Amino acid sequence: MKRHLISAGDLTRQDALLILDTADELARVSDRSIKKLPTLRGRTVVNLFFEDSTRTRISFEAAAKRLSADVINFSAKGSSVSKGESLKDTALTLQAMGADAVVIRHSASGAPHRLATWVDGSVVNAGDGTHEHPTQALLDAFTMRRRLGALDGRRITIVGDVLHSRVARSNVLLLNTLGAQVTLVAPPTLLPVTVDSWPCEVSYDLDAVLPKSDVIMMLRVQTERMNASYFPSAREYSRRYGLDRDRLAKMADDAIVMHPGPMNRGVEIAAEVADSARSTIVEQVANGVTIRMAVLYLLLGGETQ
Amino acid sequence: MSDARNAVRAVLEGPDINRALTRIAHEIIERTKGAGNIVLLGIPTRGATLAVRLGERIAQFEGVKVPVGSLDITMYRDDLRLRPARPLGRTELPADGVDDRTVVLVDDVLFSGRTVRAALDALNDVGRPKAVQLATLVDRGHRELPIRADYVGKNLPTAKSEQVKVFLEEIDGREAVVLIKGEEK
């Protein structure tokens, strides 16, 4: 494996399967009464969050703590960043503190990549702008594999705001590596112009794709990034691209519904669908801790390269 | 590995391994007074297979069904930082756990004792056994820690540069313990 985890596209099939297999074993630790492992004792993991996040930050923190690493949480609010400190100076500060890994979330695409050139430790991308969110893709793949078995040949449909979604991009890359067939469904205004070059298919008709899918992954409508009118109204979006009870009924019997959270209930996903037995949304959160433990172990557990 | 320096010599063949395991099974039954309250925990990969075989033998000789499981020690190793991160083995504990039982750890080769040290730490995190014993197919010496085995299949004098490899039918498709001559360091 590479020293950093910046893009899901950096993972070879072998790397990806190693992470998933490691997570499978680590999941058993979560069932024990003592959930802690001594593996990363004496290592320091810095959570560097320039953008708001609940589940990802907590998930990385829990993962690092279960592996006995020391965790330093840094959020832009209340730090010197609000006094105008640059990313580079922040990075050099962390470097001086001896961070073995930096988990970074940033609103600018490419920030983790830049950071990796400034620090000696491993950099883990926890979401950068509209670019990538590799650990989310890994936990999604892990959740699918636990429900459906191997992903080779499985049909995965990702629905919604692909344009602003780092989750979608990372998922397309990783699922393709794992041998699944990915279809993106979105209004044309919410697809990136370069989507032709992605290893996936594109459709504008959710109802046609639904019955053929093993997994339906709904993306959040990112109102905070909606700086133009991408669709006429939330109601119209919901009617064409939302997952409601009627659409759920059209899906194959063993197909599952996923959502990376946070959800807009009633917009991209109906509340009763989100709470149904077919939905893996709560599982995804639990699996997030496990997969992040696997990533931190594989990046930091061995010799430092 | 055909040149003389890397000569491979079989120390135990299939029937020898079987006899050694049979004897260990009898010893476990004798020492634990009927094996009524024990748990066999194998250290992956080959220790786990040996634990299953010992469990079968004890059931055959004594008529008691002994809980068998595996205990992966990778996350507890003291040499993790010396090599790239390794894949994990499986930890599978019997449903009733290990509390207040005599745990017999099973490994294929006992060498420095560091694996067993890690196993004791791992065990500490999964419960509190009444006692812990150690069974090994081969004891090759060169201990670096104050650890000894309670049940030994074969004591095998070796040079530190040599390697001992155990092959088992379930994993390797053949049965043997071989000694591989290494280069003197």
Side-chain angles (χ1 to χ4, degrees):
Chain A
M1 250 175 79
K2 291 192 169 184
R3 185 155 62 96
H4 308 293
L5 180 59
I6 310 278
S7 161
D10 291 343
L11 297 170
T12 62
R13 185 179 162 86
Q14 203 187 353
D15 291 338
L17 290 174
L18 176 63
I19 296 173
L20 297 179
D21 291 344
T22 303
D24 263 327
E25 300 303 336
L26 287 171
R28 293 159 177 269
V29 176
S30 317
D31 302 333
R32 323 195 303 206
S33 55
I34 298 175
K35 296 182 174 61
K36 215 171 173 78
L37 292 163
T39 317
L40 297 185
R41 213 152 49 94
R43 303 255 169 150
T44 304
V45 175
V46 175
N47 282 330
L48 190 57
F49 278 66
F50 291 95
E51 218 183 44
D52 293 341
S53 161
T54 322
R55 73 203 73 220
T56 306
R57 188 178 57 75
I58 291 175
S59 178
F60 267 110
E61 185 173 351
K65 284 183 170 166
R66 283 194 187 170
L67 292 171
S68 305
D70 294 319
V71 182
I72 297 172
N73 284 314
F74 174 104
S75 60
K77 280 182 200 125
S79 73
S80 294
V81 170
S82 53
K83 298 177 193 161
E85 187 172 66
S86 71
L87 178 63
K88 182 167 184 180
D89 290 326
T90 307
L92 294 176
T93 307
L94 298 175
Q95 174 72 7
M97 287 178 186
D100 295 295
V102 179
V103 177
I104 177 174
R105 163 160 297 188
H106 202 286
S107 57
S109 303
H113 182 78
R114 285 294 275 162
L115 186 71
T117 62
W118 292 322
V119 297
D120 290 336
S122 294
V123 173
V124 181
N125 183 358
D128 60 333
T130 58
H131 177 226
E132 284 225 39
H133 192 354
T135 57
Q136 177 72 40
L138 283 163
L139 78 87
D140 289 340
F142 182 65
T143 307
M144 290 178 213
R145 207 172 71 147
R146 294 208 123 193
R147 283 275 189 128
L148 307 170
L151 296 182
D152 300 88
R154 291 288 185 176
R155 292 163 189 273
I156 321 284
T157 301
I158 301 176
V159 188
D161 184 0
V162 177
L163 179 64
H164 298 105
S165 176
R166 50 199 178 207
V167 176
R169 185 191 299 260
S170 287
N171 260 297
V172 168
L173 293 172
L174 181 69
L175 290 169
N176 183 58
T177 305
L178 291 171
Q181 296 172 22
V182 185
T183 305
L184 298 176
V185 180
T189 48
L190 286 176
L191 284 169
V193 281
T194 56
V195 76
D196 305 340
S197 64
W198 292 21
C200 63
E201 284 165 33
V202 174
S203 166
Y204 304 115
D205 185 359
L206 180 57
D207 292 303
V209 180
L210 272 182
K212 295 181 289 188
S213 304
D214 297 305
V215 176
I216 298 283
M217 185 185 299
M218 304 306 296
L219 299 174
R220 183 169 66 92
V221 174
Q222 305 200 24
T223 36
E224 77 274 23
R225 294 190 218 272
M226 295 287 173
N227 47 8
S229 0
Y230 293 99
F231 47 80
S233 71
R235 203 182 124 141
E236 180 167 340
Y237 178 87
S238 178
R239 283 222 335 247
R240 293 201 55 183
Y241 297 100
L243 192 62
D244 56 15
R245 191 174 49 184
D246 295 345
R247 286 203 167 107
L248 186 71
K250 287 185 192 163
M251 290 170 53
D253 290 336
D254 56 349
I256 56 172
V257 176
M258 306 182 73
H259 193 298
M263 288 181 274
N264 297 313
R265 285 172 185 256
V267 183
E268 71 265 6
I269 188 163
E272 56 190 315
V273 176
D275 299 331
S276 78
R278 311 276 286 278
S279 143
T280 63
I281 296 164
V282 180
E283 251 167 272
Q284 284 170 268
V285 178
N287 289 341
V289 177
T290 311
I291 208 83
R292 285 166 183 130
M293 283 173 76
V295 167
L296 289 174
Y297 165 65
L298 292 170
L299 290 179
L300 299 182
E303 65 181 333
T304 28
Q305 290 134 355
Chain B
M1 300 229 182
S2 54
D3 72 4
R5 272 190 317 192
N6 291 326
V8 175
R9 183 162 62 91
V11 192
L12 296 179
E13 306 280 359
D16 304 323
I17 295 177
N18 275 330
R19 281 192 284 269
L21 288 176
T22 302
R23 181 172 48 75
I24 292 174
H26 279 299
E27 284 177 11
I28 292 175
I29 295 167
E30 190 185 350
R31 290 270 294 276
T32 59
K33 301 198 166 37
N37 193 32
I38 70 164
V39 176
L40 292 166
L41 284 186
I43 298 171
T45 317
R46 285 169 189 77
T49 309
L50 292 173
V52 172
R53 290 196 195 174
L54 283 174
E56 285 164 0
R57 280 175 168 76
I58 292 171
Q60 196 185 324
F61 303 150
E62 198 66 18
V64 287
K65 204 171 160 356
V66 176
V68 178
S70 61
L71 184 68
D72 181 50
I73 54 115
T74 311
M75 304 294 261
Y76 295 86
R77 298 186 74 104
D78 60 6
D79 59 353
L80 278 171
R81 293 191 189 183
L82 304 180
R83 288 212 259 151
R86 313 155 203 241
L88 303 184
R90 170 134 313 176
T91 294
E92 205 139 19
L93 294 175
D96 293 338
V98 298
D99 290 351
D100 298 321
R101 287 169 170 264
T102 298
V103 170
V104 180
L105 291 171
V106 185
D107 203 1
D108 53 353
V109 180
L110 179 58
F111 183 20
S112 64
R114 288 176 192 267
T115 302
V116 177
R117 202 261 334 142
L120 292 172
D121 279 356
L123 202 51
N124 202 27
D125 282 356
V126 297
R128 186 180 183 282
K130 183 161 75 81
V132 184
Q133 299 181 342
L134 174 63
T136 181
L137 184 58
V138 176
D139 181 348
R140 58 166 296 190
H142 303 288
R143 213 76 77 237
E144 293 164 5
L145 295 169
I147 281 169
R148 61 158 179 79
D150 300 86
Y151 313 101
V152 179
K154 183 174 175 60
N155 281 300
L156 186 64
T158 56
K160 215 166 179 184
S161 59
E162 290 171 321
Q163 268 187 62
V164 178
K165 278 217 149 132
V166 175
F167 297 93
L168 297 175
E169 192 68 45
E170 295 91 326
I171 297 160
D172 311 291
R174 69 179 176 120
E175 292 272 305
V177 175
V178 299
L179 189 62
I180 303 165
K181 290 255 185 278
E183 287 169 42
E184 290 297 331
K185 278 175 193 162

